[in-house]
Structures are given as structure tokens and as C-alpha cells.
Amino acid sequence: MTDPERYQDPLTIQRVLHATKTIAIVGLSNNELRASYFVGYYLKRHGYRVIPVNPREKEILGETSYPSLLDVPVPVDLVNVFRAPDALPAIAREAVEIKAGALWCQFGVINEEGARIAETGGVTVIMDRCLKIEHARYVGRMHWLGFNTRRITSVRAGLQ
Amino acid sequence: MTDKLSRAEQAREFGFETRQLHAGQRPDPNTGARAVPIFQTTSYVFEDPESAAAYFNLQEYGNTYSRIMNPTVAVFEERVANLEGGAGAVAFASGIAAQAAALFTLLQPGDHVVSSSALYGGTVNQLKHLLRKMSVELTWVDPDDPGAWREAVRPNTKAFFGETIGNPSGNVLDIETVAAIAHEHELPLIVDNTFATPYLCRPIEWGADIVIHSATKFIGGHGTSIGGVVVEAGTFDWSNGRFPVVADASPAYHGLRFHETFGMYGYLMKLRAETLRDLGGALSPFNAFLFLQGLETLSLRMDRHVENARAVAAFLDSHELASNVTYPGLPGNKYRPLVDKYLPRGAGAVFSFDCAGGRAGGQGLIGGLTLWSHLANVGDAKSLVIHPASTTHRQLGDEELRAAGVGPGTVRLSVGTESVEDLIWDLEQGFARVAATTGAASDAPSGAPSAAKGGEKVETA
């Protein structure tokens, strides 16, 4: 049984968001109406270095696209996955091999074996969560559109 | 990074009373203002052309124009969404506008809706006449009969609709059962939760998919502002094949597939970026501010409304000039088991009863009241009363009134938060007047203040 809630701890999510500078997006689409493109565009706008991993494309969002994580020539802080759940174990092995800091699986990308491989290899796992939404919840402006961020705090926010 | 994380937010389930004060708002980043600022502006300066494009493409959460979003309104939206346990909310200029937008977002011509027949009259008009004009068919069902909901479903049915507590007859919807039937057929259940408020009942916890409020009532709570809000649970599968209008590429938004792209926020994004944009019933920031003031005390007021409503209902139930008291919280009421399940903190504060003496009796009672306000609204902190037969249903004869579920002597109450002894004292004044003018017996104590008015004519009501 997969229990995604194990991989949705708010403190871990906030730590990953703040510790990350470079994000490899596995399965990033070059179609600007697809969810992965929305996420990649958003993350780039917010100052992250976005590296597409998609063997079918040469360039996405103005960045070189690599066939696999193993081909990415720079250190990767976070691997963000937009693939079918059964592709996750192989992606997790590669994430361990390149010493990524964290593995972030989007909504529906739930695979216990993949999560275990990553955890055992020292990679933090977030699962069944959207990277854009969580960034917008804790750092961005999700509350500007009436969404329930579930945040309760009287700490004065920084400038947005 | 350590300093940013030193005050990182823990996973904590905050209580309702905490959330009604804090949800949706952080102190203003620019000024530190603790209260919610009123952003009285139509529009917002863009940082640069690329940001403007990103906002309009919905690639970034950004403010563009106050018909579509506003920072003060957004605090209200998020707070209601939080209190109801939904994924988000979109506010509107009235409850009726909210309801129309919730329906328009998921309907297209040729569709069909199944609705409870025990509804607010304004909703009946909207479902019966406006939807027909849009070539949407409607079937009314007895909300208490689960079989009737199931049998009414057709291949083109797109939604079930009901009220948590029906207006004005006080029927309580069996939300869990009706939601289960809706979901058997892959349909969403829409619930108007105006009379209960999220403090007394949260329909999403029982399976409802969309919750609508007239914020004008208990949410605002002080009779100052008209407004409404739609909350969505975020769990309904709009890509189940029945809702191409939500799931397919949208011609009104350059081919965007709202459910695929925004997932659990897809319906809400479409509700805002298309329906609100195109129908235009935006809530004003000032009204949103007043609703937020109301929400801060929602639980306190609702506890008091319920306490007073129970006492007034019990008084009427034992009064010889009152009958058919529809308060579902009364011990013998047929909805009592549903109240215990869905409304354990109380069955709200709006109900009706029949006054002896028919039309003249109902008018006479209201004519004798000096504390209850005679007007067409509910959910104010002040107690309100109306006689449907001489106001909202004035054009109908006694026979037609009965068909509409309103007797000639029916009086609707919205019990406020005053000293309850004063509310009952005023009703006794009214009954004394009914007794004096219709010849009906009264159990009002002799020497009650109403005796001095006994000789006045009743037509002034």
C-alpha cells in the first residue's frame, strides 16, 4: 500500500522549496498548454534554473533538453517528475546516481518502489503534490486567487 | 535559508474559531496593517510586459482587473473556502449571481439538472425560468425521497441541487445520501449552505462537491451588504466524460483544458477566468471587507442565533395561536434525526409558523410587533419577520398560497441575537393584537403592553 501522505510533510516541502536552485523536470512538454509547461514556465519566472529532461525535444523554455537525468551536465537539487507512475523506479535510480537532493512526484505520480529507492539512496521524496502549487502556497501568490492555502500565520510577509 | 525556515509553518489543524479570524490573510507585507486593507482599485500596474502576459495566460497568479480578482475579495474567498474545507472559492456580487455562475460553469444547452423542490423562491425562479431560457431542463424532486433523486437522473443530467436547511419550510437535506446517489451517476452535488453557515454544517465533509452561500445573510451577519460565494471541494472528476464543457479545450480561453492543466483547481479557475469574467457579477472590495468583519464573529453569533431560535420556537410551539412551527431543531420535528447528524450545534435560526386567524391573523401579528423588523431578508443580528402572503406571495390567492407551501397565516422568522425575553415579549404583543382583532383566544397575560394597542386596525401591516 502506498501512503502518499508520508511524502507530503509541510516542513519538508518548505525546506525543499528554499534549498533548491536547479530543477530537472522529467517529462516536461514543449506544448505550452500542458500542465508541465505551466509548471516549468512558472518555476523559471521565480528564479529557479529549469533543466528539461525529454528525449523527444532539443530545447524547451529556451533551455537545452537532455534525454535522461544521467545526461544533465550540472548538479541537480530537485528532480520533478511528470511521467506515468511505473516510470518512477528507473527515474529514482537515476536521481540517486546523480546525487539529487530531492525527488518531487507530481499529482498522481505515486509509486512506492520508486519512493523507497530514492529514500534509501538519501534523496528526499515529495509525492502526489504539485511543485507549482506548493511554491505558490508558501512563497508565491496562490492566495491572490481565493485558493485555500490552509496557511494560518500572523508573521508579516515579505514583499511580493 | 535557515532564517526563512525559522518560522516555517507546522502541520497543524487549527480550530474553527482561529480560522474564522486568520484564514486567508497575512499582515500586509508593505505596511504591516493587521486588519485586512480595502484595496479599492479597479486595476493593477504590471511589473513588465512579460508579467502581464503571464497573468492573462494564467501561468502566474497575478492581479489584472477587479472584475476578476481583488486582494480584499481574495481574503474573503480563501477564508470561506478554508472554513468550508474546500479547495478554493470565488466571490460574487450576490448569492443569486454566485449560484448562476456555479451552474453556468458546468452546464451547456441541452443539459438537465435535478433539484430539491424545497428552495428559496429566488432560486426557484432562477432554476425554473433562467435555466429554461438557456435550454437547460429541470426536474423537481421531493428532497426527502432518495428514490426520487435516483429516478430523476437522465443521460444529460449534470448536477443535483439542494439546500442544507430549506427556506422557509426548514427541511434538512440528507447530504451524505444524496451525494452518494449523485456520485453513483458521476454527478456533482451542489448545496446552498446559507442557512447553516460552515459553523453549523460543512456539506463538503458529507460528500457535497460545490457549496454556495448568500453571504448577505449570516456570513455578513449585520444586514449591510449583498454578496455571494461559491466553494468547490476540488475532488470531483470533471474529466469523467460527462463534462466536456469543463474538461475539453476551451474556445473562450485559447484552447486551455482547465481540468487537465489545473487539476483540483480546474473548475475554480474556469469559474473565475471565464464565468466571472464573462457574467461580470464581481463582489466589491468594501462588501468583502464587511463580510470579513462578519466572519470574525461567525461562531459566536451562530451559537447565540441558535440559542435564541430554540427558545422562540419552543415558545411558539406551546402557544395556542401558533401552529406548524417548522424549526427542525424542535424535539418532535421529523427532521430531528438529520439535525442530530448534520447540524449538531443547532438547526440555524430561520423558520416559519402559522398564525391563527389566517391572512388577517398573520398581518395582525406583524402589525403588533415593535422590536422584530418587518422586512425581506434573513440572517441579520437583528430579529426579522415577514408575512409571505402579504409580501413575497402577495399576488396569490389563499388556494395558490397553499400550493406554494405557504399558508395565509404563515409568518417567517429570522431570530436575531437580542435578549430573548424581549423577542418573546414582542411576539406576545403581536399575539395579543391577533386575539383582539380576530376574536381568537390569546394566552398573553392580561396587562401585557400589547393590550394598549388592541383596538388598532390590522390593515396597516
Side-chain angles (χ1 to χ4, degrees):
Chain A
M1 271 302 287
T2 307
D3 177 16
E5 278 189 30
R6 265 189 65 208
Y7 305 109
Q8 299 172 351
D9 172 56
L11 280 178
T12 307
I13 286 174
Q14 290 167 79
R15 194 174 302 119
V16 168
L17 289 172
H18 287 298
T20 295
K21 291 191 168 61
T22 303
I23 303 171
I25 305 184
V26 181
L28 177 60
S29 167
N30 207 7
N31 176 348
E32 61 175 31
L33 291 176
R34 300 305 298 269
S36 62
Y37 192 95
F38 269 75
V39 171
Y41 179 93
Y42 174 92
L43 293 170
K44 215 181 149 183
R45 237 183 94 73
H46 282 270
Y48 292 104
R49 177 165 180 200
V50 170
I51 300 178
V53 175
N54 180 342
R56 287 177 301 187
E57 302 288 344
K58 290 221 164 0
E59 191 182 286
I60 305 171
L61 290 164
E63 305 288 339
T64 303
S65 178
Y66 296 93
S68 85
L69 283 173
L70 302 180
D71 300 309
V72 176
V74 296
V76 171
D77 299 317
L78 175 62
V79 175
N80 184 208
V81 183
F82 281 86
R83 291 285 306 279
D86 58 10
L88 199 57
I91 295 166
R93 275 184 211 104
E94 295 185 358
V96 172
E97 196 172 333
I98 66 166
K99 297 185 166 51
L103 177 70
W104 190 303
C105 312
Q106 290 290 126
F107 284 136
V109 187
I110 301 169
N111 181 298
E112 182 68 32
E113 188 195 346
R116 209 172 43 241
I117 291 166
E119 275 192 313
T120 311
V123 177
T124 303
V125 177
I126 311 285
M127 194 178 268
D128 198 27
R129 280 284 175 266
C130 172
L131 179 52
K132 177 188 173 193
I133 289 170
E134 297 308 317
H135 181 277
R137 181 194 314 278
Y138 291 108
V139 188
R141 305 159 165 179
M142 185 174 163
H143 59 284
W144 282 13
L145 294 195
F147 294 120
N148 182 7
T149 64
R150 301 175 57 84
R151 294 183 67 188
I152 300 290
T153 174
S154 289
V155 177
R156 184 166 165 178
L159 289 174
Q160 290 170 317
Chain B
M1 294 307 138
T2 323
D3 52 331
K4 272 186 185 165
L5 281 170
S6 65
R7 292 202 277 187
E9 287 150 47
Q10 312 281 336
R12 178 179 170 79
E13 296 294 326
F14 287 95
F16 189 95
E17 289 79 359
T18 301
R19 291 181 287 123
Q20 73 185 1
L21 285 158
H22 290 276
Q25 189 218 0
R26 300 187 68 179
D28 180 57
N30 298 326
T31 62
R34 178 61 274 196
V36 178
I38 300 171
F39 288 95
Q40 193 68 39
T41 184
T42 57
S43 35
Y44 310 84
V45 177
F46 302 120
E47 297 93 322
D48 47 61
E50 196 196 334
S51 297
Y55 300 163
F56 277 95
N57 285 337
L58 306 178
Q59 290 164 311
E60 168 67 287
Y61 305 87
N63 291 317
T64 56
Y65 191 57
S66 283
R67 171 155 48 80
I68 303 166
M69 75 284 281
N70 173 278
T72 310
V73 175
V75 177
F76 169 65
E77 291 168 331
E78 184 176 348
R79 190 163 299 175
V80 176
N82 185 296
L83 295 175
E84 285 285 5
V90 180
F92 292 86
S94 71
I96 280 287
Q99 199 163 271
L103 290 166
F104 274 45
T105 301
L106 59 89
L107 293 175
Q108 58 186 345
D111 285 346
H112 172 245
V113 172
V114 180
S115 173
S116 159
S117 58
L119 299 175
Y120 161 56
T123 299
V124 171
N125 284 335
Q126 187 181 71
L127 295 180
K128 193 170 158 187
H129 302 296
L130 182 65
L131 288 191
R132 184 173 296 158
K133 250 165 122 176
M134 311 310 291
S135 300
V136 171
E137 299 173 295
L138 181 78
T139 301
W140 297 116
V141 296
D142 171 359
D144 302 338
D145 178 3
W149 291 93
R150 192 175 275 115
E151 283 156 27
V153 175
R154 303 178 192 172
N156 59 338
T157 303
K158 293 301 162 69
F160 281 9
F161 187 95
E163 294 176 353
T164 311
I165 304 171
N167 176 2
S169 50
N171 56 297
V172 177
L173 187 68
D174 187 349
I175 300 169
E176 190 174 27
T177 300
V178 176
I181 297 168
H183 295 163
E184 272 170 33
H185 297 91
E186 299 185 302
L187 299 171
L189 170 63
I190 305 173
V191 173
D192 179 339
N193 198 34
T194 299
F195 276 20
T197 81
Y199 179 66
L200 299 179
C201 178
R202 288 175 294 282
I204 287 171
E205 292 178 0
W206 299 104
D209 302 285
I210 296 173
V211 170
I212 292 165
H213 281 279
S214 168
T216 311
K217 311 302 185 311
F218 294 100
I219 285 178
H222 299 81
T224 62
S225 313
I226 302 285
V229 63
V230 178
V231 180
E232 202 229 354
T235 48
F236 188 79
D237 179 13
W238 298 101
S239 297
N240 65 12
R242 284 187 91 112
F243 296 92
V245 74
V246 181
D248 285 3
S250 171
Y253 226 102
H254 52 68
L256 191 60
R257 294 172 191 268
F258 279 87
H259 190 235
E260 180 186 313
T261 300
F262 297 112
M264 64 184 287
Y265 302 105
Y267 171 89
L268 288 162
M269 271 291 201
K270 189 178 176 77
L271 177 63
R272 179 183 304 281
E274 281 188 10
T275 315
L276 177 57
R277 179 195 69 182
D278 298 342
L279 286 181
L283 181 66
S284 87
F286 187 64
N287 283 11
F289 174 82
L290 291 170
F291 289 148
L292 284 162
Q293 292 298 107
L295 281 173
E296 292 200 353
T297 57
L298 181 67
S299 66
L300 306 170
R301 285 184 291 107
M302 292 315 292
D303 278 337
R304 175 70 176 188
H305 277 292
V306 163
E307 187 187 333
N308 280 0
R310 282 192 184 124
V312 169
F315 162 76
L316 291 169
D317 201 37
S318 63
H319 198 288
E320 61 178 337
L321 295 185
S323 60
N324 193 26
V325 182
T326 65
Y327 190 56
L330 278 173
N333 188 281
K334 70 168 176 168
Y335 294 107
R336 191 56 198 258
L338 292 176
V339 169
D340 291 342
K341 175 173 180 176
Y342 295 111
L343 299 153
R345 285 167 156 156
V350 182
F351 58 93
S352 64
F353 68 97
D354 291 338
C355 184
R359 191 179 286 257
Q363 288 181 337
L365 176 90
I366 289 174
L369 299 176
T370 57
L371 180 59
W372 293 71
S373 303
H374 180 205
L375 55 76
N377 189 28
V378 298
D380 196 320
K382 302 173 185 75
S383 288
L384 315 175
V385 62
I386 197 160
H387 179 231
S390 58
T391 55
T392 52
H393 296 67
R394 187 180 179 83
Q395 71 282 13
L396 304 184
D398 287 0
E399 203 54 40
E400 292 168 300
L401 285 173
R402 263 189 292 280
V406 175
T410 296
V411 172
R412 186 186 70 186
L413 303 178
S414 173
V415 182
T417 59
E418 295 95 338
S419 305
V420 71
E421 302 79 14
D422 296 336
L423 297 178
I424 290 172
W425 161 80
D426 199 30
L427 289 170
E428 281 174 338
Q429 291 197 93
F431 282 125
R433 179 138 151 173
V434 173
T437 55
T438 65
S442 171
D443 63 358
S446 63
S450 53
K453 295 183 156 196
E456 287 175 24
K457 293 161 91 177
V458 296
E459 290 78 28
T460 53

